[in-house]
Amino acid sequence: MPESLFKTPPLEWIRAFEAAARCGSFTAAAAETGLTQSAISQRIGQLEKQLGTSLFFRRARAIELTVDGEAWLPHVRLALTTLRDSSEALFGSGRGQMAISASQSIIELWLLPRLEGLGRIAEGQLSIQTMVLGAHEADVDDVIRIRYGAGGWPHDHKLKLFSEQIAPLASPELAGCEGHWTDWPRIACSGSRPGWNSWATRFGIATTPVPHLRFDTFLSALGAARAGMGVILASLPLCERDIREGRLVRLSDETMDHHESYWAIAGSDAITRPQWSELVKVLA
């Protein structure tokens, strides 16, 4: 059979096109790829010449895809994604190490019960790193991070662990005391999760008694509640096991929803796409 007259363009030209289309300018594409602006422009020019069509309209301060460019871009992205995924599947499984950074509360209440599944995904060494108190940075590096927020991080992979629901909990011993729970001692915890003032405003209870114990970690506050030292406004998903096993009991049928929650976030250097798919099954 006669060979096709069409010659596939070099991969570096195609990558330059995809980067420029995604970034919106040759300059931004150059910064992302580590090339010069003139090199990006030259590669795209060569690509257009070989394809016999213009892929971009050149404006004074920006670029815009032509009809042909818009039509070709989804196919380019699919091809590059397929190339990356197949490379990871064939050659990336020997990574042999996975690192997760989280607060001590999340490590004990969410990760440790899932440790066996996490170990299988790591296919080697699993490193669990305790987040330094007050450090809420979320660098895009080789670490999977679990952070509390609304999900607006720039990472390639993001998973909301659960929808946050908050309710008052206490030990069975305290719950058996006389009187209404709103009059019992209260435990407070610093952080982004709504506290007693938010609950009082939402459900019309008194803002007193003022919490007599205040902790800087949820895990410490939870320990005090388990010991019967007061009522805690707690995350129901994080305390599901405590409630199921009878260490804590709910004091109200009312629940306060919160728009923020814990998210697992990771860049492409922290985990492969196949590993991330398995991580979603374990963590969610």
Side-chain angles (χ1 to χ4, degrees), residues 164-236:
E164 183 70 288
Q165 293 184 311
I166 300 166
L169 305 178
S171 68
E173 293 75 19
L174 182 58
C177 294
E178 295 182 357
H180 195 269
W181 70 264
T182 55
D183 297 323
W184 299 342
R186 298 178 184 178
I187 299 171
C189 180
S190 303
S192 302
R193 192 177 287 111
W196 282 109
N197 286 337
S198 298
W199 183 273
T201 300
R202 174 74 178 273
F203 296 108
I205 69 169
T207 56
T208 56
V210 174
H212 72 301
L213 289 174
R214 180 174 294 275
F215 295 89
D216 59 5
T217 69
F218 179 70
L219 192 61
S220 299
L222 194 62
R226 290 168 179 161
M229 302 180 68
V231 179
I232 183 176
L233 272 183
S235 167
L236 292 180

Side-chain angles (χ1 to χ4, degrees), residues 220-280:
S220 299
L222 194 62
R226 290 168 179 161
M229 302 180 68
V231 179
I232 183 176
L233 272 183
S235 167
L236 292 180
L238 288 182
C239 296
E240 186 274 334
R241 187 173 181 180
D242 278 290
I243 296 171
R244 185 178 70 249
E245 297 180 357
R247 288 186 291 272
L248 293 170
V249 297
R250 290 191 61 170
L251 302 176
S252 172
D253 292 332
E254 296 173 314
T255 299
M256 183 164 58
D257 296 329
H258 186 51
H259 69 283
E260 293 184 320
S261 186
Y262 283 101
W263 291 71
I265 53 178
S268 58
D269 290 337
I271 190 169
T272 67
R273 291 172 67 87
Q275 283 179 313
W276 178 259
S277 296
E278 293 302 312
L279 187 70
V280 169

